[in-house]
Amino acid sequence: MNDHVTPPDRRLDRRIPLGCAASILLREGRSVAAECIELSVSGMTLHAAYVPGELEVIDVAVMSPGAGLGRPPLVTRLKVTRCHAIGGGRYEIGGAITQVVG
């Protein structure tokens, strides 16, 4: 009998395409404009003119997709798992959400 339990594959989480405005909140108080391309329970994909370090943890604020809803942004802590150039000085950043901050 095999007692080993395989952890769930996080890529199986349903990913919701968004295209919402977002900001990468840097430690020194600066922010970098971004676009949240997709969001799931466990992670997100961003497009931004920012190159994070390998496994860097960044704070990301994702604005509400509905204009005029008056809702505060979703603020998460994201552990970067991938980053590649998409052209025009922009990068696709993917990562795992480690904490919902607000």
Side-chain angles (χ1 to χ4, degrees):
M1 183 170 151
N2 185 355
D3 289 335
H4 177 73
V5 177
T6 304
D9 183 355
R10 292 184 181 236
R11 285 293 295 170
L12 295 177
D13 289 343
R14 182 174 178 202
R15 301 179 88 68
I16 301 169
L18 287 182
C20 294
S23 295
I24 298 171
L25 310 171
L26 302 176
R27 302 243 182 263
E28 63 271 9
R30 289 187 316 121
S31 67
V32 176
E35 181 180 8
C36 182
I37 301 304
E38 63 180 12
L39 179 66
S40 76
V41 170
S42 62
M44 72 174 67
T45 302
L46 303 168
H47 286 178
Y50 178 73
V51 180
E54 184 176 357
L55 300 179
E56 181 178 345
V57 176
I58 57 177
D59 288 347
V60 178
V62 179
M63 308 315 155
S64 175
L69 288 180
R71 294 202 172 141
L74 169 68
V75 180
T76 65
R77 198 147 285 145
L78 187 73
K79 183 176 183 179
V80 176
T81 56
R82 62 186 173 81
C83 178
H84 64 270
I86 56 174
R90 294 179 55 83
Y91 298 85
E92 184 169 280
I93 303 163
I97 296 172
T98 62
Q99 181 180 4
V100 174
V101 179

